[in-house]
Amino acid sequence: MTTTSSQSVLLATSESSLPRQPKRAEPPVSSGVIGMLLFMVTEVMFFGALISAYLVIRAGLDEWPPWGQPRLPIETTAINTLVLLVSGFLMSYSRNLFKKKNISEGRKWFGYSILLGTFFFISQGYEWAQLIKFGLTVSSSVYGGLFYLIIGAHGFHVIGTLAFLIYAWNRLGAPVNPITSEEIFPVQLLWYFVVCVWPVLYVLVYLD
Amino acid sequence: MSQATAAVKKDSQAEHHEELSFLYKYILPVDHKIIGMQYIFTGLIMAIIGGYFSYAFRMQLAFPGEVVPLYGLVGPGEYNMLITNHGTIMIFWVAMPVLIAGFGNYLIPLMIGCDDMVFPRLNRLSYQIFLVSALVLIASFFVTGGGFGGAWTSYPPLSSNAEYSLTDWGASLWILAVALEFVSFLLGGINFITTTMNARAPGMKMMDIPIAVWFIVIAVILFMASVGPLIAGAVMLFMDQRLGTSFFLPSGGGDPLLWQHLFWFFGHPEVYVVLLPTMGIVADVITVFSRKKLFGYRTVLYTAFATGGLSFVVWAHHQFIAGIDPRVANVFVVTTVLISIPLAEMMFSYIATLYGGSIELKTPMLWALGFLAAFLIGGVTGIYLGASALDIYFHDSYFVLAHFHYTFFPITIIGMFAALTFWFPKMFGRMMNETLGKIHFWGTFIPFNCIFLPLFFLGLAGQNRRVYNFQLYPDLATQDLQNIRIFATLSLVVMLIFQLVFIYNFFVSMFKGEKAPNNPWNANTLEWSIPSPPPHGNFKTLPTVYRGAYEYSVPGRELDYWPQNEAPK
Amino acid sequence: MALFLQFIIVLSFSLFPRIVEACAVCFSGKEESLEAFYLTTVLLTLLPLVMLSLIGYWLYRQYRKEENVS
Ligand code: HEM
Ligand SMILES: [Cu+2]
């Protein structure tokens, strides 16, 4: 039990209890889901605080964005947003297939969802490179700082969740020690979260 | 590998668990009992550091400018570093790890009747991150410029700008350590809640769960729902320090008030996060030693929910004079005063539990009663501070300092001793010495009051917090005020000396004490139904629970207690 | 009743306070800043309460079913 990587515990859903008599009843909501829901509460508060910071700092300045700072690429990011949303839908589609016990088909769509997520991440990275070239850096103004803070925090979540998703995808059909489609549901939940906060951040940071 | 297969492997290991090597048993354990004790011991070591710091700066206040024995000269910058890290250590590295992570880990699986946490390895990871955070904090004392000195609340711009704080890396390591510590408790907290929900012994209904477990779980929920903003704030502060952003710097377009909001949004729920575990532990201790049913189990539980809910809406009472809108302040006055209602109700429930019981003044009971008495003063003075008009005068004075020490000291130190002395037989399989325990109690409780009661009066006389040397202020340099300071400091020294009694008692009892039976206090909860100390895997057979945790002195029964797992005839 | 009315009238004065700017470094006091603080205060206060009560209620229902069945 000590040979595994420590991350895989996040994927776990089953009890660690020993199967002795008398038996404990199967819990109505699996531990993994409860754990992930609680974690998501923390995450929502984290992003809530970042949004608050943005609103407060923005309200304190007269000119927004401050003079001399490049404008953000609204259109390309809109396409990117769409890509991420589609990825989220594919994820829930694969979850539906898993529920119908259609594992191999579900795994395929799960994979496509990961691909779209990766595309989102890469094109965001490209966008950052462009913005830095145009002179928007963390320290160039509080505007730049907020941009990199908020979008960076989200990007960090994207890459982290993608890592878990790829791990889960890999293990799903593995010949040895496979994990069940139920066990990866918590990570899927996390992906829903990552997808769902993005439009909020997009409207806040890019459009507003 | 999945948890399911892990569980299967674990089963086969549980059969011959003696074979666990030293490395896996003590260095990389997944057993919740070992992890709990690691937390407790780390917390106790940190408490010694924090206590030593308080000794150094109190001596400076009583005898300004003189060499402090066993420390040396305290300079002004060093004074700031000492008070900052004293506060930080006591709250984040003593109260949280010992009361929540330590006893939470140790007690939750035992009290709800399962063999381990639901995610054992997440639990181990949590301790490892915690240990790293403690080491980072200690390292911050030794970097050039010394440890951070901007107070535990770390308000910018003082904390965000190395030119002001003069502790370039000290400040950054401090905020890094705090952030790491939160991540660690986040992982631990997920475990506590899921375990309590999903791994209870068969038959244990929600309303059969001991209050101690309930309160730790509620505390963890509060923590998880409030810590996000502080983590966000910590990241922003760190970026201000190291990457040259200006989120909190007015000169660069930021807003220093923003930090205060983010900090106190977490900071106030945090005080209830540390309060609730102790309240729960005390509930268990007083029922056992007054041999009575807990008065109003459901009421106590619901008041905890109410406290938890309200604790999210009071935080701005720390900012009454920080330039917030006075209309907002009005709202927060009302909520602040409201929150004392559920707490008072809880207190009354406890007192009603004691009323008419056959009270046995064993050491844990003394600590529990001491907690109730001392915390009462802390809670009542909080109501004064909650009135925004009064707070203009009280803010940042020694009155506030005395208020929160009358809450934090009972919670952290007195509550911790109540829990340690109560569960010591279970943890180490031996009894502690009662006489030494009582000497230690009185030697701590009386000096504690002698330290902090006078500080209320110093505060009323206008003494500000965080001042290095009061001799520089003619109004505060008078001899009678100085005498009070000296009295408080000498009481502190006496109290610290009496802690040696505890350390002696603790280690001698651990190895030489009388062997403890399974159930030395005749208590009901499940952890007392198994050998002390409990073996790896805890319960030989999964216990079945038939009743609530507080069935003491039930009429018509021979024994005055009724273990939760005893089958009805 | 008259006393109560007096009380309400006096209390209503507190809705029209003079803005005090105690903090020497704060540039705020701007109306937009105050509004942003109101908004974020409400946001941060309600978020955890709403989320926890929703999740709590949902879990409670799931577990209630279970306890009733067994
Ligand atoms: C009945 C409940 C309570 C009320 C009404 C209350 C009220 C207050 C108020 C209004 C302040 C701000 C004073 C100022 O800065 O001017 C304060 C400060 C403080 N309280 Fe409480 N409090 C209560 C319970 C607690 C508890 C249970 C704890 C600890 C576990 C606690 C810990 C603190 C701390 C640490 C501070 C000072 C923070 C600082 O500025 O460093 N309070 N309290
Ligand atoms: Cu408070």
Side-chain angles (χ1 to χ4, degrees):
Chain A
M1 68 183 158
T2 41
T3 53
T4 53
S5 71
S6 48
Q7 309 111 17
S8 68
V9 291
L10 264 183
L11 312 177
T13 51
S14 61
E15 302 273 31
S16 69
S17 63
L18 309 181
R20 302 180 188 120
Q21 292 299 324
K23 273 279 275 271
R24 201 195 312 282
E26 190 60 25
V29 184
S30 80
S31 303
V33 173
I34 297 183
M36 188 48 76
L37 281 178
L38 290 164
F39 183 67
M40 273 158 54
V41 170
T42 310
E43 290 284 38
V44 170
M45 291 311 292
F46 175 78
F47 280 101
L50 291 184
I51 292 171
S52 304
Y54 184 90
L55 291 176
V56 164
I57 291 177
R58 199 205 139 139
L61 290 180
D62 294 322
E63 198 187 353
W64 193 266
W67 186 83
Q69 292 288 300
R71 297 295 173 270
L72 299 172
I74 293 177
E75 296 80 18
T76 39
T77 316
I79 296 170
N80 238 341
T81 309
L82 260 173
V83 169
L84 192 65
L85 286 177
V86 171
S87 165
F89 280 121
L90 292 188
M91 190 58 80
S92 94
Y93 183 59
S94 77
R95 163 86 187 144
N96 273 344
L97 288 172
F98 287 150
K99 266 197 197 149
K100 291 186 195 131
K101 296 277 175 283
N102 194 348
I103 304 295
S104 62
E105 191 72 359
R107 184 161 175 272
K108 196 172 92 196
W109 290 101
F110 192 85
Y112 290 147
S113 169
I114 295 177
L115 275 183
L116 288 184
T118 318
F119 174 83
F120 171 84
F121 185 75
I122 291 172
S123 83
Q124 283 294 106
Y126 176 73
E127 207 175 82
W128 277 34
Q130 296 300 82
L131 282 171
I132 291 174
K133 227 180 351 190
F134 288 128
L136 186 76
T137 62
V138 258
S139 49
S140 69
S141 71
V142 71
Y143 176 70
L146 277 174
F147 173 79
Y148 288 107
L149 173 74
I150 296 179
I151 306 302
H154 183 262
F156 199 69
H157 281 81
V158 171
I159 186 82
T161 315
L162 277 177
F164 277 123
L165 285 173
I166 293 170
Y167 177 83
W169 183 79
N170 209 13
R171 276 251 154 272
L172 195 58
V176 279
N177 288 330
I179 53 179
T180 67
S181 56
E182 268 314 300
E183 280 172 336
I184 61 174
F185 182 47
V187 197
Q188 290 181 305
L189 270 181
L190 191 60
W191 186 246
Y192 294 154
F193 169 77
V194 170
V195 171
C196 288
V197 283
W198 175 254
V200 181
L201 299 182
Y202 174 69
V203 170
L204 184 81
V205 176
Y206 285 81
L207 296 190
D208 196 42
Chain B
M1 186 178 67
S2 76
Q3 187 77 10
T5 42
V8 174
K9 281 221 173 126
K10 199 170 152 216
D11 291 353
S12 53
Q13 234 172 31
E15 312 288 280
H16 37 92
H17 54 80
E18 301 82 26
E19 282 170 27
L20 283 180
S21 66
F22 180 82
L23 179 72
Y24 284 120
K25 186 145 184 226
Y26 294 109
I27 312 290
L28 296 171
V30 284
D31 185 338
H32 71 100
K33 297 187 290 296
I34 309 281
I35 295 177
M37 282 201 233
Q38 284 180 328
Y39 266 117
I40 294 173
F41 280 113
T42 317
L44 289 175
I45 292 170
M46 294 306 275
I48 292 174
I49 300 178
Y52 176 61
F53 282 8
S54 71
Y55 160 79
F57 65 70
R58 275 311 312 182
M59 287 301 273
Q60 155 65 24
L61 288 182
F63 311 105
E66 287 175 34
V67 176
V68 177
L70 297 178
Y71 185 85
L73 212 58
V74 180
E78 218 175 322
Y79 177 87
N80 286 343
M81 171 267 177
L82 288 174
I83 57 163
T84 302
N85 287 294
H86 162 77
T88 316
I89 287 177
M90 287 302 188
I91 295 170
F92 295 135
W93 276 274
V94 181
M96 303 269 295
V98 174
L99 291 171
I100 302 182
F103 283 106
N105 260 315
Y106 193 86
L107 293 178
I108 289 179
L110 288 178
M111 282 187 145
I112 65 174
C114 64
D115 59 332
D116 207 330
M117 289 288 178
V118 169
F119 306 118
R121 275 164 294 150
L122 198 62
N123 213 12
R124 178 178 63 196
L125 183 66
S126 146
Y127 175 74
Q128 287 163 345
I129 297 179
F130 172 73
L131 189 65
V132 171
S133 78
L135 294 177
V136 171
L137 184 77
I138 292 174
S140 83
F141 307 155
F142 300 106
V143 293
T144 41
F148 176 54
W152 80 284
T153 53
S154 139
Y155 282 3
L158 180 58
S159 58
S160 62
N161 211 327
E163 288 149 44
Y164 305 148
S165 69
L166 302 179
T167 52
D168 187 9
W169 273 102
S172 298
L173 288 182
W174 182 89
I175 196 81
L176 191 68
V178 171
L180 277 177
E181 205 244 10
F182 290 156
V183 171
S184 140
F185 285 145
L186 214 70
L187 301 182
I190 292 176
N191 235 328
F192 290 2
I193 301 169
T194 42
T195 305
T196 313
M197 298 219 57
N198 278 355
R200 270 172 285 140
M204 186 177 261
K205 298 248 166 63
M206 295 239 190
M207 293 297 153
D208 299 336
I209 303 176
I211 288 286
V213 173
W214 258 123
F215 278 22
I216 291 176
V217 168
I218 299 175
V220 167
I221 294 175
L222 293 188
F223 177 79
M224 296 197 58
S226 65
V227 76
L230 188 57
I231 295 183
V235 171
M236 290 161 77
L237 192 59
F238 192 82
M239 285 173 79
D240 270 10
Q241 289 169 349
R242 299 258 68 95
L243 299 180
T245 54
S246 50
F247 298 125
F248 301 128
L249 285 179
S251 56
D255 193 334
L257 256 186
L258 179 62
W259 165 264
Q260 299 187 16
H261 275 272
L262 297 181
F263 183 88
W264 286 117
F265 181 79
F266 163 79
H268 195 90
E270 166 71 10
V271 306
Y272 294 99
V273 170
V274 294
L275 167 67
L276 285 175
T278 300
M279 272 286 187
I281 286 165
V282 165
D284 271 39
V285 173
I286 60 172
T287 43
V288 169
F289 290 105
S290 52
R291 319 300 306 161
K292 256 187 81 185
K293 210 177 158 117
L294 183 69
F295 185 88
Y297 177 96
R298 275 171 193 264
T299 313
V300 171
L301 194 57
Y302 295 155
T303 54
F305 283 127
T307 313
L310 280 171
S311 75
F312 288 109
V313 293
V314 298
W315 85 89
H317 65 215
H318 296 274
Q319 298 166 270
F320 281 152
I321 68 160
I324 62 169
D325 187 316
R327 281 160 294 196
V328 177
N330 286 344
V331 175
F332 280 92
V333 171
V334 174
T335 53
T336 303
V337 177
L338 269 183
I339 202 170
S340 33
I341 294 175
L343 274 183
E345 215 171 314
M346 212 186 277
M347 276 292 200
F348 281 128
S349 267
Y350 287 16
I351 293 169
T353 307
L354 295 169
Y355 181 76
S358 39
I359 291 176
E360 222 182 324
L361 286 180
K362 289 271 172 53
T363 318
M365 182 62 164
L366 281 178
W367 287 113
L369 294 178
F371 166 79
L372 292 180
F375 181 75
L376 195 61
I377 301 180
V380 167
T381 48
I383 302 174
Y384 300 175
L385 296 175
S388 59
L390 275 178
D391 193 55
I392 293 173
Y393 184 70
F394 286 143
H395 179 70
D396 253 354
S397 75
Y398 266 60
F399 191 89
V400 172
L401 189 125
H403 152 71
F404 73 75
H405 278 87
Y406 258 100
T407 51
F408 263 122
F409 188 92
I411 289 168
T412 315
I413 309 295
I414 299 186
M416 173 179 83
F417 283 135
L420 270 181
T421 48
F422 187 67
W423 278 290
F424 187 91
K426 190 49 59 186
M427 287 178 160
F428 302 106
R430 293 181 187 266
M431 304 297 289
M432 276 182 112
N433 184 317
E434 274 292 312
T435 329
L436 286 180
K438 282 183 182 140
I439 293 174
H440 174 228
F441 171 75
W442 292 111
T444 306
F445 193 73
I446 296 174
F448 153 66
N449 285 291
C450 294
I451 301 168
F452 292 111
L453 264 187
L455 299 192
F456 280 119
F457 297 101
L458 283 179
L460 291 179
Q463 178 171 317
N464 268 357
R465 291 168 74 184
R466 297 168 183 150
V467 172
Y468 165 61
N469 184 349
F470 291 106
Q471 299 324 84
L472 305 176
Y473 299 84
D475 288 347
L476 296 173
T478 56
Q479 192 56 45
D480 42 345
L481 291 185
Q482 190 61 24
N483 284 344
I484 299 182
R485 281 174 213 131
I486 294 175
F487 176 72
T489 302
L490 293 184
S491 308
L492 173 73
V493 175
V494 172
M495 188 176 89
L496 289 179
I497 289 172
F498 269 101
Q499 302 315 305
L500 297 177
V501 179
F502 176 77
I503 296 177
Y504 174 83
N505 190 0
F506 191 78
F507 285 107
V508 171
S509 306
M510 201 193 281
F511 298 109
K512 297 237 167 67
E514 194 190 317
K515 277 251 183 309
N518 283 3
N519 192 354
W521 315 120
N522 293 340
N524 285 347
T525 37
L526 292 175
E527 80 271 28
W528 302 107
S529 66
I530 50 175
S532 336
H536 188 73
N538 299 346
F539 296 90
K540 261 219 201 70
T541 51
L542 209 55
T544 310
V545 172
Y546 298 99
R547 62 189 64 78
Y550 300 105
E551 300 295 326
Y552 292 102
S553 306
V554 176
R557 249 181 81 81
E558 230 165 273
L559 292 172
D560 66 349
Y561 65 107
W562 202 352
Q564 283 188 280
N565 59 338
E566 192 182 295
K569 305 236 169 64
Chain C
M1 194 62 205
L3 193 69
F4 181 71
L5 279 180
Q6 279 171 15
F7 175 73
I8 292 293
I9 289 168
V10 172
L11 192 70
S12 64
F13 289 160
S14 67
L15 291 175
F16 307 98
R18 302 217 351 243
I19 300 294
V20 265
E21 274 159 59
C23 173
V25 286
C26 297
F27 57 91
S28 14
K30 266 177 65 182
E31 204 48 44
E32 292 93 354
S33 259
L34 283 180
E35 275 163 17
F37 272 117
Y38 288 149
L39 190 72
T40 53
T41 300
V42 173
L43 175 77
L44 283 184
T45 329
L46 290 187
L47 260 184
L49 294 178
V50 169
M51 278 190 299
L52 287 182
S53 37
L54 283 181
I55 293 179
Y57 179 67
W58 182 70
L59 285 177
Y60 178 78
R61 278 230 337 241
Q62 303 290 320
Y63 281 76
R64 218 338 76 95
K65 270 186 227 154
E66 188 75 10
E67 271 187 13
N68 285 347
V69 168
S70 60

